[in-house]
Amino acid sequence: MQDSFGREINYLRLSVTDRCNFRCQYCMPEEGIEKVAHDDILTYEEILKLIKAAANLGIDKVRLTGGEPLTRKGLPDLVEMISEVEGVDDLSMTTNGSRLAEFADDLAEAGLDRVNISLDSVDPVLFEEITRGGDLDSVLSGVEAARAADLHPVKLNSVIIRGVNDSEVNSLVEYAVSQDVVLRFIELMPMGEAADLAVDPTPLDEVKHEVESEWKLEKVSGPRGNGPAEYYRVKRGSEAGRIGFIFPISHNFCDNCNRIRVTSRGNVRPCLARDEQYELDIEESTTVEALQDQLKGVIVEKPHGHRWEEEKATSGEMSEIGG
């Protein structure tokens, strides 16, 4: 299905829980967030109907997110249910990786195609500081387990913040190359907890320059699941790998946006970076056809760009995060 701007919407990001076992500085308050009662989040049966409705509208890519999706009990069962939906050709998950070593084999067997793992440092002390208590070894074990389970390509997502982990750029590249996984550097978006932090995200042009200080870069096409990232082959002597850069702020990709997001409570956000959301009327008696009609209405209402682009057009300049 196309939105009102002629963009084909074929990608659904589905949050299965708001809960997370990390408290990353730019993502969640140190005390955590108010827990949503289990009865208030979508059941697996409701999620399945939603996926079927979305697939009937042409959505063929589904990504499970959170919070941390692996904190929800029985997630491999949901993966198996979704993998059997006709029309869903690509089923992936974004995770912090801390529980992936335990579940990677089950997820792969259930039908998960690939994973993205958040990793902002390979220094255990700094990692614990950024995540407010996270254990780096558990995440690195998760990366190894994902590779062994052939959840390919395994992608690492890194947000670089000046004065926090900007010294980690080439250490992250070295780790990704050594593990034969794809590393993507992503601009910090001023949303959620990050909107209120007095932090200075390192521009990705600077990050790229830092990589080029040690590696030769050659622009290449992206791996499976390629979205808006710009990808490069990195090479240093006999070492070689692949990295990417995602610029949601400085070089936004709104013109080609193909996605919508559904929260764990069943609210649809047609733009991931805006506050507007539409509550789905979904319960045990709701039919797939009724959900299709609801999703059609939301897709038609999808805005052209995120709010930062509008603010830029209005003010003539981009606000500094935390400024």
Side-chain angles (χ1 to χ4, degrees):
M1 181 176 172
Q2 293 185 346
D3 67 8
S4 61
F5 300 97
R7 297 172 297 191
E8 183 177 347
I9 309 303
N10 71 326
Y11 182 7
L12 170 64
R13 293 176 62 96
L14 174 67
S15 173
V16 298
T17 179
D18 290 335
R19 301 186 182 190
C20 187
N21 54 337
F22 284 179
R23 297 289 182 268
C24 295
Q25 294 179 16
Y26 58 82
C27 182
M28 188 176 290
E30 186 170 4
E31 67 276 10
I33 60 174
E34 182 180 354
K35 293 182 179 179
V36 179
H38 186 73
D39 291 343
D40 291 334
I41 64 175
L42 295 177
T43 67
Y44 283 175
E45 291 73 21
E46 290 169 339
I47 288 174
L48 183 61
K49 282 196 289 188
L50 175 63
I51 298 296
K52 289 179 178 178
N56 288 345
L57 293 175
I59 287 178
D60 56 14
K61 295 178 62 175
V62 176
R63 174 173 296 278
L64 303 180
T65 69
E68 168 49 45
L70 288 174
T71 61
R72 182 151 181 186
K73 186 177 180 180
L75 192 70
D77 295 331
L78 176 63
V79 168
E80 183 173 12
M81 294 162 65
I82 296 174
S83 69
E84 295 174 352
V85 174
E86 184 176 356
V88 175
D89 300 326
D90 184 24
L91 178 56
S92 59
M93 181 178 71
T94 294
T95 171
N96 63 29
S98 63
R99 303 189 68 185
L100 201 49
E102 178 183 355
F103 290 105
D105 287 339
D106 290 341
L107 290 167
E109 185 176 347
L112 190 71
D113 294 312
R114 54 196 177 85
V115 291
N116 289 5
I117 302 171
S118 300
L119 184 66
D120 297 324
S121 173
V122 288
D123 176 88
V125 175
L126 181 55
F127 181 86
E128 183 177 5
E129 178 182 335
I130 292 172
T131 58
R132 297 191 178 109
D135 174 40
L136 177 63
D137 285 342
S138 68
V139 177
L140 300 187
S141 295
V143 174
E144 294 175 5
R147 292 181 61 227
D150 200 26
L151 292 171
H152 180 77
V154 177
K155 297 178 182 177
L156 306 180
N157 293 340
S158 295
V159 174
I160 303 299
I161 300 174
R162 197 187 312 279
V164 177
N165 64 337
D166 51 342
S167 62
E168 286 284 281
V169 170
N170 278 313
S171 294
L172 286 162
V173 175
E174 289 169 2
Y175 172 74
V177 169
S178 72
Q179 295 299 307
D180 192 26
V181 298
V182 180
L183 171 67
R184 288 111 54 84
F185 293 107
I186 304 175
E187 283 183 326
L188 177 63
M189 293 185 285
M191 56 190 293
E193 189 69 8
D196 298 322
L197 287 179
V199 298
D200 184 9
T202 303
L204 289 194
D205 289 340
E206 291 186 21
V207 174
K208 183 181 174 184
H209 182 70
E210 177 68 17
V211 175
E212 288 176 316
S213 70
E214 294 193 21
W215 302 80
K216 181 179 178 181
L217 268 62
E218 176 187 358
K219 196 163 187 178
V220 295
S221 59
R224 181 184 178 189
N226 182 25
E230 295 179 3
Y231 284 97
Y232 294 83
R233 182 172 184 264
V234 294
K235 183 173 176 56
R236 184 178 65 184
S238 60
E239 301 174 286
R242 188 159 37 179
I243 67 172
F245 299 90
I246 300 179
F247 304 86
I249 307 298
S250 58
H251 307 292
N252 80 67
F253 38 85
C254 298
D255 285 344
N256 299 310
C257 184
N258 64 340
R259 61 198 67 188
I260 60 173
R261 177 184 177 187
V262 176
T263 72
S264 62
R265 304 190 197 200
N267 297 326
V268 187
R269 298 180 64 173
C271 173
L272 277 64
R274 296 177 72 105
D275 296 329
E276 294 92 337
Q277 56 184 346
Y278 302 82
E279 184 177 357
L280 287 176
D281 180 14
I282 179 170
E283 51 191 32
E284 186 176 346
S285 60
T286 307
T287 65
V288 171
E289 292 73 22
L291 281 173
Q292 280 180 229
D293 290 338
Q294 292 181 58
L295 287 174
K296 281 182 183 179
V298 173
I299 290 173
V300 168
E301 294 295 324
K302 181 175 173 65
H304 180 268
H306 53 57
R307 64 182 184 272
W308 308 303
E309 182 64 18
E310 293 177 355
E311 291 167 359
K312 180 180 179 181
T314 300
S315 66
E317 60 183 14
M318 187 69 69
S319 298
E320 290 291 335
I321 297 175

